[in-house]
Short mmCIF file of all heavy atoms in Angstrom, two decimals:
data_model
loop_
_atom_site.label_atom_id
_atom_site.label_comp_id
_atom_site.label_asym_id
_atom_site.label_seq_id
_atom_site.Cartn_x
_atom_site.Cartn_y
_atom_site.Cartn_z
N MET A 1 -9.35 -1.49 -11.97
CA MET A 1 -8.94 -0.69 -10.82
C MET A 1 -7.66 -1.30 -10.27
O MET A 1 -7.62 -2.42 -9.95
CB MET A 1 -10.06 -0.74 -9.79
CG MET A 1 -9.65 -0.28 -8.41
SD MET A 1 -9.48 1.46 -8.00
CE MET A 1 -10.84 2.30 -8.53
N ARG A 2 -6.64 -0.44 -10.23
CA ARG A 2 -5.30 -0.91 -9.69
C ARG A 2 -5.01 -0.14 -8.43
O ARG A 2 -5.10 1.10 -8.40
CB ARG A 2 -4.22 -0.65 -10.74
CG ARG A 2 -2.88 -1.24 -10.25
CD ARG A 2 -1.88 -1.17 -11.44
NE ARG A 2 -2.24 -2.31 -12.36
CZ ARG A 2 -1.41 -2.69 -13.30
NH1 ARG A 2 -0.31 -2.12 -13.53
NH2 ARG A 2 -1.80 -3.69 -14.12
N ILE A 3 -4.77 -0.88 -7.35
CA ILE A 3 -4.54 -0.31 -6.02
C ILE A 3 -3.09 -0.66 -5.62
O ILE A 3 -2.65 -1.79 -5.80
CB ILE A 3 -5.55 -0.76 -5.01
CG1 ILE A 3 -6.98 -0.25 -5.37
CG2 ILE A 3 -5.18 -0.39 -3.60
CD1 ILE A 3 -8.03 -0.55 -4.44
N CYS A 4 -2.43 0.28 -4.96
CA CYS A 4 -1.19 0.03 -4.37
C CYS A 4 -1.33 0.06 -2.86
O CYS A 4 -1.70 1.02 -2.21
CB CYS A 4 -0.17 1.15 -4.73
SG CYS A 4 1.45 1.01 -4.00
N GLY A 5 -0.95 -1.06 -2.23
CA GLY A 5 -0.98 -1.15 -0.74
C GLY A 5 0.38 -0.72 -0.27
O GLY A 5 1.40 -1.06 -0.83
N VAL A 6 0.39 -0.02 0.81
CA VAL A 6 1.65 0.58 1.39
C VAL A 6 1.71 0.21 2.90
O VAL A 6 0.71 0.55 3.60
CB VAL A 6 1.81 2.07 1.14
CG1 VAL A 6 3.06 2.62 1.74
CG2 VAL A 6 1.62 2.46 -0.28
N ILE A 15 5.63 -1.75 -0.68
CA ILE A 15 4.39 -1.66 -1.51
C ILE A 15 4.10 -2.98 -2.15
O ILE A 15 4.94 -3.93 -2.28
CB ILE A 15 4.62 -0.59 -2.62
CG1 ILE A 15 5.71 -0.99 -3.66
CG2 ILE A 15 4.91 0.79 -2.04
CD1 ILE A 15 5.69 -0.22 -4.91
N SER A 16 2.84 -3.11 -2.54
CA SER A 16 2.36 -4.21 -3.28
C SER A 16 1.21 -3.71 -4.23
O SER A 16 0.33 -3.05 -3.74
CB SER A 16 1.79 -5.34 -2.36
OG SER A 16 1.24 -6.37 -3.11
N LEU A 17 1.29 -4.10 -5.44
CA LEU A 17 0.24 -3.72 -6.47
C LEU A 17 -0.78 -4.79 -6.59
O LEU A 17 -0.44 -6.02 -6.46
CB LEU A 17 0.85 -3.39 -7.79
CG LEU A 17 1.85 -2.29 -7.86
CD1 LEU A 17 2.40 -2.21 -9.34
CD2 LEU A 17 1.32 -0.96 -7.37
N LEU A 18 -2.09 -4.44 -6.71
CA LEU A 18 -3.07 -5.37 -6.95
C LEU A 18 -4.11 -4.81 -7.87
O LEU A 18 -4.63 -3.70 -7.69
CB LEU A 18 -3.80 -5.78 -5.65
CG LEU A 18 -4.89 -6.84 -5.68
CD1 LEU A 18 -4.33 -8.20 -6.07
CD2 LEU A 18 -5.62 -6.91 -4.35
N SER A 19 -4.48 -5.49 -8.98
CA SER A 19 -5.52 -5.00 -9.87
C SER A 19 -6.72 -5.97 -9.87
O SER A 19 -6.57 -7.13 -9.56
CB SER A 19 -4.95 -4.77 -11.23
OG SER A 19 -4.56 -6.06 -11.87
N TYR A 20 -7.80 -5.36 -10.25
CA TYR A 20 -9.05 -6.15 -10.38
C TYR A 20 -9.73 -5.77 -11.64
O TYR A 20 -10.19 -4.63 -11.85
CB TYR A 20 -10.01 -5.76 -9.17
CG TYR A 20 -11.25 -6.55 -9.19
CD1 TYR A 20 -11.26 -7.89 -8.84
CD2 TYR A 20 -12.47 -5.97 -9.45
CE1 TYR A 20 -12.53 -8.64 -8.88
CE2 TYR A 20 -13.73 -6.66 -9.55
CZ TYR A 20 -13.69 -8.01 -9.17
OH TYR A 20 -14.88 -8.67 -9.24
N GLU A 23 -13.56 -9.33 -13.08
CA GLU A 23 -13.84 -10.22 -11.94
C GLU A 23 -12.67 -11.12 -11.65
O GLU A 23 -12.75 -12.24 -11.07
CB GLU A 23 -15.06 -10.99 -12.19
CG GLU A 23 -16.26 -10.13 -12.25
CD GLU A 23 -17.59 -10.87 -12.20
OE1 GLU A 23 -17.60 -12.05 -11.69
OE2 GLU A 23 -18.61 -10.31 -12.60
N THR A 24 -11.42 -10.62 -11.89
CA THR A 24 -10.21 -11.37 -11.66
C THR A 24 -9.22 -10.46 -10.92
O THR A 24 -8.96 -9.38 -11.43
CB THR A 24 -9.59 -11.90 -12.98
OG1 THR A 24 -10.59 -12.66 -13.61
CG2 THR A 24 -8.41 -12.74 -12.74
N PHE A 25 -8.61 -10.97 -9.88
CA PHE A 25 -7.52 -10.25 -9.25
C PHE A 25 -6.19 -10.63 -9.88
O PHE A 25 -5.99 -11.77 -10.31
CB PHE A 25 -7.44 -10.70 -7.71
CG PHE A 25 -8.55 -10.08 -6.91
CD1 PHE A 25 -9.64 -10.84 -6.56
CD2 PHE A 25 -8.52 -8.77 -6.52
CE1 PHE A 25 -10.68 -10.40 -5.80
CE2 PHE A 25 -9.60 -8.29 -5.74
CZ PHE A 25 -10.62 -9.01 -5.36
N ASN A 26 -5.34 -9.66 -10.04
CA ASN A 26 -4.02 -9.93 -10.60
C ASN A 26 -3.05 -9.14 -9.76
O ASN A 26 -3.20 -7.96 -9.41
CB ASN A 26 -4.07 -9.42 -12.09
CG ASN A 26 -2.78 -9.62 -12.75
OD1 ASN A 26 -2.04 -10.56 -12.39
ND2 ASN A 26 -2.49 -8.82 -13.78
N VAL A 27 -1.86 -9.77 -9.53
CA VAL A 27 -0.76 -9.13 -8.83
C VAL A 27 0.29 -8.84 -9.89
O VAL A 27 1.12 -9.74 -10.20
CB VAL A 27 -0.13 -10.03 -7.69
CG1 VAL A 27 1.00 -9.37 -7.03
CG2 VAL A 27 -1.27 -10.35 -6.70
N GLU A 64 -5.41 4.13 -7.04
CA GLU A 64 -5.68 4.43 -5.66
C GLU A 64 -4.52 3.91 -4.80
O GLU A 64 -3.96 2.86 -5.21
CB GLU A 64 -7.07 3.91 -5.18
CG GLU A 64 -7.36 4.33 -3.70
CD GLU A 64 -8.71 3.79 -3.24
OE1 GLU A 64 -9.41 3.12 -4.10
OE2 GLU A 64 -9.05 4.04 -2.14
N ILE A 65 -4.27 4.55 -3.72
CA ILE A 65 -3.23 4.12 -2.77
C ILE A 65 -3.98 3.87 -1.41
O ILE A 65 -4.71 4.64 -1.03
CB ILE A 65 -2.12 5.16 -2.61
CG1 ILE A 65 -1.43 5.45 -3.94
CG2 ILE A 65 -1.17 4.71 -1.56
CD1 ILE A 65 -0.57 6.64 -3.98
N VAL A 66 -3.64 2.79 -0.81
CA VAL A 66 -4.05 2.48 0.56
C VAL A 66 -2.95 2.23 1.51
O VAL A 66 -2.02 1.51 1.15
CB VAL A 66 -5.07 1.25 0.52
CG1 VAL A 66 -4.38 -0.01 0.08
CG2 VAL A 66 -5.67 1.06 1.93
N ILE A 67 -2.94 2.97 2.61
CA ILE A 67 -1.81 2.92 3.58
C ILE A 67 -2.33 2.21 4.86
O ILE A 67 -3.42 2.58 5.32
CB ILE A 67 -1.23 4.31 3.92
CG1 ILE A 67 -0.76 5.03 2.55
CG2 ILE A 67 -0.13 4.21 4.93
CD1 ILE A 67 -0.37 6.45 2.79
N ILE A 68 -1.56 1.36 5.38
CA ILE A 68 -1.89 0.74 6.66
C ILE A 68 -1.67 1.84 7.79
O ILE A 68 -0.58 2.41 7.91
CB ILE A 68 -1.02 -0.46 6.89
CG1 ILE A 68 -1.22 -1.51 5.89
CG2 ILE A 68 -1.29 -1.02 8.37
CD1 ILE A 68 -0.28 -2.73 6.01
N LEU A 99 -6.28 2.69 6.18
CA LEU A 99 -7.02 1.53 6.70
C LEU A 99 -6.37 1.04 7.98
O LEU A 99 -5.17 0.80 7.98
CB LEU A 99 -7.12 0.34 5.75
CG LEU A 99 -8.23 0.42 4.65
CD1 LEU A 99 -8.21 -0.82 3.85
CD2 LEU A 99 -9.58 0.63 5.23
N ALA A 103 -9.47 -3.14 10.52
CA ALA A 103 -10.41 -3.06 9.35
C ALA A 103 -9.88 -4.00 8.19
O ALA A 103 -10.62 -4.74 7.59
CB ALA A 103 -10.51 -1.68 8.82
N ILE A 104 -8.57 -4.04 8.00
CA ILE A 104 -8.04 -4.97 7.04
C ILE A 104 -8.24 -6.41 7.39
O ILE A 104 -8.74 -7.15 6.57
CB ILE A 104 -6.48 -4.69 6.84
CG1 ILE A 104 -6.25 -3.26 6.32
CG2 ILE A 104 -5.83 -5.76 6.01
CD1 ILE A 104 -4.83 -2.79 6.37
N LYS A 105 -8.01 -6.73 8.66
CA LYS A 105 -8.18 -8.08 9.10
C LYS A 105 -9.66 -8.55 8.95
O LYS A 105 -9.96 -9.62 8.49
CB LYS A 105 -7.76 -8.28 10.56
CG LYS A 105 -7.64 -9.70 10.98
CD LYS A 105 -7.08 -9.80 12.38
CE LYS A 105 -5.61 -9.71 12.25
NZ LYS A 105 -4.90 -9.99 13.49
N GLU A 106 -10.60 -7.62 9.35
CA GLU A 106 -12.02 -7.94 9.28
C GLU A 106 -12.49 -8.11 7.83
O GLU A 106 -13.23 -9.06 7.52
CB GLU A 106 -12.83 -6.86 9.96
CG GLU A 106 -12.77 -6.87 11.43
CD GLU A 106 -13.50 -5.64 12.08
OE1 GLU A 106 -14.05 -4.77 11.29
OE2 GLU A 106 -13.55 -5.53 13.26
N GLN A 107 -12.02 -7.23 6.94
CA GLN A 107 -12.43 -7.32 5.51
C GLN A 107 -11.88 -8.62 4.90
O GLN A 107 -12.57 -9.31 4.18
CB GLN A 107 -11.88 -6.14 4.77
CG GLN A 107 -12.40 -6.03 3.35
CD GLN A 107 -13.89 -5.81 3.23
OE1 GLN A 107 -14.46 -4.92 3.92
NE2 GLN A 107 -14.51 -6.52 2.36
N ASN A 108 -10.61 -8.97 5.23
CA ASN A 108 -10.07 -10.13 4.70
C ASN A 108 -10.51 -11.43 5.23
O ASN A 108 -10.51 -12.48 4.59
CB ASN A 108 -8.53 -10.08 4.69
CG ASN A 108 -7.95 -9.03 3.79
OD1 ASN A 108 -8.61 -8.50 2.90
ND2 ASN A 108 -6.71 -8.64 4.01
N LYS A 109 -11.14 -11.37 6.48
CA LYS A 109 -11.79 -12.50 7.01
C LYS A 109 -13.10 -12.79 6.35
O LYS A 109 -13.46 -13.91 6.12
CB LYS A 109 -11.96 -12.27 8.56
CG LYS A 109 -12.49 -13.47 9.31
CD LYS A 109 -12.60 -13.16 10.78
CE LYS A 109 -13.11 -14.38 11.51
NZ LYS A 109 -13.20 -14.06 13.01
N ARG A 110 -13.81 -11.65 6.00
CA ARG A 110 -15.09 -11.76 5.34
C ARG A 110 -14.96 -12.28 3.92
O ARG A 110 -15.74 -13.09 3.44
CB ARG A 110 -15.77 -10.36 5.32
CG ARG A 110 -17.13 -10.34 5.94
CD ARG A 110 -17.76 -8.97 5.87
NE ARG A 110 -17.27 -8.23 7.00
CZ ARG A 110 -16.80 -7.00 7.00
NH1 ARG A 110 -16.74 -6.31 5.89
NH2 ARG A 110 -16.41 -6.44 8.13
N ASN A 111 -13.86 -11.85 3.23
CA ASN A 111 -13.65 -12.25 1.81
C ASN A 111 -12.13 -12.68 1.72
O ASN A 111 -11.37 -11.88 1.23
CB ASN A 111 -13.88 -11.04 0.93
CG ASN A 111 -15.34 -10.55 1.05
OD1 ASN A 111 -16.24 -11.29 0.81
ND2 ASN A 111 -15.46 -9.33 1.43
N PRO A 112 -11.78 -13.83 2.20
CA PRO A 112 -10.41 -14.25 2.12
C PRO A 112 -9.92 -14.44 0.75
O PRO A 112 -10.66 -14.81 -0.20
CB PRO A 112 -10.47 -15.59 2.90
CG PRO A 112 -11.85 -16.06 2.81
CD PRO A 112 -12.66 -14.90 2.72
N PRO A 113 -8.64 -14.14 0.54
CA PRO A 113 -8.03 -14.39 -0.81
C PRO A 113 -8.14 -15.83 -1.19
O PRO A 113 -7.97 -16.72 -0.35
CB PRO A 113 -6.54 -14.02 -0.58
CG PRO A 113 -6.47 -13.24 0.63
CD PRO A 113 -7.64 -13.67 1.46
N GLN A 114 -8.45 -16.08 -2.48
CA GLN A 114 -8.70 -17.42 -2.94
C GLN A 114 -7.37 -18.02 -3.45
O GLN A 114 -7.38 -18.95 -4.28
CB GLN A 114 -9.68 -17.38 -4.12
CG GLN A 114 -11.07 -16.84 -3.68
CD GLN A 114 -11.68 -17.67 -2.55
OE1 GLN A 114 -11.68 -18.89 -2.65
NE2 GLN A 114 -12.23 -17.03 -1.54
N VAL A 115 -6.25 -17.48 -2.98
CA VAL A 115 -4.97 -17.94 -3.42
C VAL A 115 -4.02 -17.97 -2.18
O VAL A 115 -4.22 -17.13 -1.28
CB VAL A 115 -4.38 -17.08 -4.54
CG1 VAL A 115 -4.08 -15.71 -4.07
CG2 VAL A 115 -3.16 -17.74 -5.19
N ASP A 116 -3.11 -18.91 -2.12
CA ASP A 116 -2.10 -18.95 -1.09
C ASP A 116 -1.12 -17.84 -1.35
O ASP A 116 -0.65 -17.75 -2.46
CB ASP A 116 -1.51 -20.33 -1.02
CG ASP A 116 -0.51 -20.49 0.04
OD1 ASP A 116 -0.74 -19.82 1.14
OD2 ASP A 116 0.48 -21.19 -0.12
N PHE A 117 -0.73 -17.12 -0.33
CA PHE A 117 0.21 -16.00 -0.46
C PHE A 117 1.60 -16.49 -1.05
O PHE A 117 2.19 -15.86 -1.88
CB PHE A 117 0.48 -15.29 0.85
CG PHE A 117 1.42 -14.16 0.70
CD1 PHE A 117 1.03 -12.95 0.28
CD2 PHE A 117 2.80 -14.26 1.08
CE1 PHE A 117 1.91 -11.90 0.07
CE2 PHE A 117 3.71 -13.25 0.89
CZ PHE A 117 3.27 -12.02 0.46
N LEU A 120 2.03 -16.48 -4.87
CA LEU A 120 2.10 -15.17 -5.47
C LEU A 120 3.61 -14.86 -5.69
O LEU A 120 4.48 -15.30 -4.91
CB LEU A 120 1.40 -14.12 -4.68
CG LEU A 120 -0.07 -14.30 -4.42
CD1 LEU A 120 -0.56 -13.23 -3.53
CD2 LEU A 120 -0.85 -14.25 -5.79
N LEU A 122 5.46 -12.57 -4.80
CA LEU A 122 5.79 -11.48 -3.83
C LEU A 122 6.70 -11.94 -2.76
O LEU A 122 6.77 -13.15 -2.44
CB LEU A 122 4.49 -10.99 -3.15
CG LEU A 122 3.41 -10.33 -4.03
CD1 LEU A 122 2.16 -10.04 -3.22
CD2 LEU A 122 3.96 -9.00 -4.69
N GLN A 126 6.20 -8.30 1.94
CA GLN A 126 5.13 -7.52 1.24
C GLN A 126 3.72 -7.99 1.63
O GLN A 126 2.72 -7.33 1.19
CB GLN A 126 5.27 -7.64 -0.32
CG GLN A 126 6.50 -7.02 -0.93
CD GLN A 126 6.49 -7.26 -2.37
OE1 GLN A 126 6.95 -8.29 -2.81
NE2 GLN A 126 5.99 -6.29 -3.17
N GLN A 127 3.60 -8.96 2.44
CA GLN A 127 2.23 -9.54 2.73
C GLN A 127 1.33 -8.52 3.36
O GLN A 127 0.20 -8.41 2.95
CB GLN A 127 2.39 -10.77 3.61
CG GLN A 127 1.04 -11.41 3.84
CD GLN A 127 1.11 -12.79 4.39
OE1 GLN A 127 2.21 -13.32 4.66
NE2 GLN A 127 -0.01 -13.39 4.64
N PRO A 128 1.77 -7.68 4.35
CA PRO A 128 0.85 -6.66 4.92
C PRO A 128 0.34 -5.68 3.91
O PRO A 128 -0.82 -5.33 3.85
CB PRO A 128 1.67 -6.04 6.03
CG PRO A 128 2.65 -7.00 6.41
CD PRO A 128 3.03 -7.76 5.18
N ALA A 129 1.26 -5.26 2.95
CA ALA A 129 0.82 -4.28 1.97
C ALA A 129 -0.13 -4.94 0.96
O ALA A 129 -1.11 -4.35 0.55
CB ALA A 129 2.08 -3.81 1.13
N PHE A 130 0.08 -6.23 0.64
CA PHE A 130 -0.85 -6.95 -0.19
C PHE A 130 -2.17 -7.08 0.42
O PHE A 130 -3.19 -6.86 -0.19
CB PHE A 130 -0.29 -8.33 -0.54
CG PHE A 130 -1.29 -9.26 -1.13
CD1 PHE A 130 -1.67 -9.17 -2.51
CD2 PHE A 130 -1.93 -10.22 -0.38
CE1 PHE A 130 -2.61 -9.98 -3.07
CE2 PHE A 130 -2.98 -11.08 -0.96
CZ PHE A 130 -3.27 -10.94 -2.26
N GLU A 131 -2.19 -7.43 1.72
CA GLU A 131 -3.43 -7.56 2.46
C GLU A 131 -4.27 -6.27 2.49
O GLU A 131 -5.50 -6.27 2.42
CB GLU A 131 -3.23 -8.13 3.84
CG GLU A 131 -2.84 -9.61 3.82
CD GLU A 131 -2.39 -10.11 5.17
OE1 GLU A 131 -2.27 -9.37 6.18
OE2 GLU A 131 -2.18 -11.34 5.29
N ALA A 132 -3.56 -5.14 2.59
CA ALA A 132 -4.20 -3.82 2.64
C ALA A 132 -4.84 -3.61 1.28
O ALA A 132 -6.00 -3.07 1.20
CB ALA A 132 -3.20 -2.77 2.98
N ALA A 133 -4.07 -3.79 0.16
CA ALA A 133 -4.60 -3.61 -1.18
C ALA A 133 -5.81 -4.49 -1.42
O ALA A 133 -6.84 -4.12 -2.03
CB ALA A 133 -3.52 -3.82 -2.20
N TYR A 134 -5.71 -5.71 -0.97
CA TYR A 134 -6.81 -6.75 -1.20
C TYR A 134 -8.02 -6.25 -0.36
O TYR A 134 -9.19 -6.32 -0.96
CB TYR A 134 -6.30 -8.07 -0.76
CG TYR A 134 -7.46 -9.16 -1.02
CD1 TYR A 134 -7.58 -9.70 -2.32
CD2 TYR A 134 -8.17 -9.68 -0.03
CE1 TYR A 134 -8.52 -10.64 -2.54
CE2 TYR A 134 -9.14 -10.67 -0.22
CZ TYR A 134 -9.33 -11.11 -1.54
OH TYR A 134 -10.31 -12.08 -1.83
N ALA A 135 -7.89 -5.81 0.75
CA ALA A 135 -9.00 -5.33 1.62
C ALA A 135 -9.72 -4.16 0.95
O ALA A 135 -10.92 -4.08 0.86
CB ALA A 135 -8.51 -4.97 3.01
N GLN A 136 -8.91 -3.24 0.43
CA GLN A 136 -9.47 -2.08 -0.17
C GLN A 136 -10.12 -2.43 -1.54
O GLN A 136 -11.20 -1.90 -1.84
CB GLN A 136 -8.35 -1.02 -0.47
CG GLN A 136 -8.92 0.26 -1.08
CD GLN A 136 -9.80 1.02 -0.15
OE1 GLN A 136 -10.00 0.72 0.98
NE2 GLN A 136 -10.56 2.03 -0.68
N GLN A 137 -9.67 -3.36 -2.25
CA GLN A 137 -10.30 -3.84 -3.47
C GLN A 137 -11.73 -4.41 -3.09
O GLN A 137 -12.69 -4.13 -3.78
CB GLN A 137 -9.50 -4.93 -4.19
CG GLN A 137 -8.28 -4.36 -4.93
CD GLN A 137 -8.60 -3.73 -6.25
OE1 GLN A 137 -9.71 -3.24 -6.51
NE2 GLN A 137 -7.57 -3.56 -7.11
N ASN A 138 -11.65 -5.21 -2.03
CA ASN A 138 -13.00 -5.77 -1.59
C ASN A 138 -13.98 -4.77 -1.07
O ASN A 138 -15.20 -4.81 -1.31
CB ASN A 138 -12.75 -6.88 -0.60
CG ASN A 138 -12.34 -8.20 -1.21
OD1 ASN A 138 -12.95 -8.65 -2.21
ND2 ASN A 138 -11.31 -8.77 -0.76
N ARG A 139 -13.42 -3.68 -0.41
CA ARG A 139 -14.35 -2.61 0.06
C ARG A 139 -14.92 -1.98 -1.19
O ARG A 139 -16.07 -1.58 -1.15
CB ARG A 139 -13.51 -1.57 0.88
CG ARG A 139 -13.22 -2.10 2.29
CD ARG A 139 -12.18 -1.26 2.94
NE ARG A 139 -12.47 0.20 2.83
CZ ARG A 139 -12.84 0.92 3.79
NH1 ARG A 139 -13.02 0.47 5.05
NH2 ARG A 139 -13.14 2.25 3.68
N ARG A 140 -14.19 -1.79 -2.23
CA ARG A 140 -14.74 -1.25 -3.52
C ARG A 140 -15.75 -2.06 -4.12
O ARG A 140 -16.75 -1.59 -4.64
CB ARG A 140 -13.60 -0.90 -4.43
CG ARG A 140 -12.64 0.11 -3.99
CD ARG A 140 -12.61 1.19 -5.11
NE ARG A 140 -11.84 2.38 -4.66
CZ ARG A 140 -12.47 3.52 -4.29
NH1 ARG A 140 -13.77 3.61 -4.45
NH2 ARG A 140 -11.81 4.52 -3.90
N ILE A 141 -15.44 -3.36 -4.18
CA ILE A 141 -16.32 -4.32 -4.90
C ILE A 141 -17.70 -4.51 -4.08
O ILE A 141 -18.80 -4.46 -4.67
CB ILE A 141 -15.70 -5.73 -5.02
CG1 ILE A 141 -14.51 -5.62 -5.94
CG2 ILE A 141 -16.71 -6.75 -5.57
CD1 ILE A 141 -13.55 -6.77 -5.84
N PHE A 142 -17.58 -4.73 -2.75
CA PHE A 142 -18.71 -5.02 -1.95
C PHE A 142 -19.33 -3.91 -1.21
O PHE A 142 -20.26 -4.09 -0.46
CB PHE A 142 -18.40 -6.21 -1.01
CG PHE A 142 -17.98 -7.47 -1.71
CD1 PHE A 142 -16.63 -7.89 -1.58
CD2 PHE A 142 -18.85 -8.18 -2.49
CE1 PHE A 142 -16.22 -9.08 -2.19
CE2 PHE A 142 -18.48 -9.28 -3.15
CZ PHE A 142 -17.13 -9.78 -3.02
N GLY A 143 -18.75 -2.67 -1.29
CA GLY A 143 -19.20 -1.62 -0.61
C GLY A 143 -18.44 -1.54 0.76
O GLY A 143 -18.05 -2.54 1.31
#
Side-chain angles (χ1 to χ4, degrees):
M1 163 76 53
R2 186 169 285 190
I3 292 181
C4 177
V6 180
I15 67 167
S16 177
L17 300 179
L18 181 68
S19 66
Y20 181 74
E23 297 192 19
T24 303
F25 287 102
N26 183 26
V27 179
E64 183 178 359
I65 300 166
V66 61
I67 300 174
I68 300 172
L99 278 182
I104 293 168
K105 190 175 279 189
E106 286 175 359
Q107 186 68 46
N108 291 344
K109 187 176 181 182
R110 238 179 274 133
N111 302 299
Q114 300 298 314
V115 67
D116 183 33
F117 182 80
L120 299 174
L122 296 173
Q126 289 179 279
Q127 187 166 0
F130 166 78
E131 289 174 351
Y134 184 76
Q136 184 63 12
Q137 286 283 20
N138 279 310
R139 286 168 48 112
R140 291 236 170 254
I141 295 165
F142 299 113

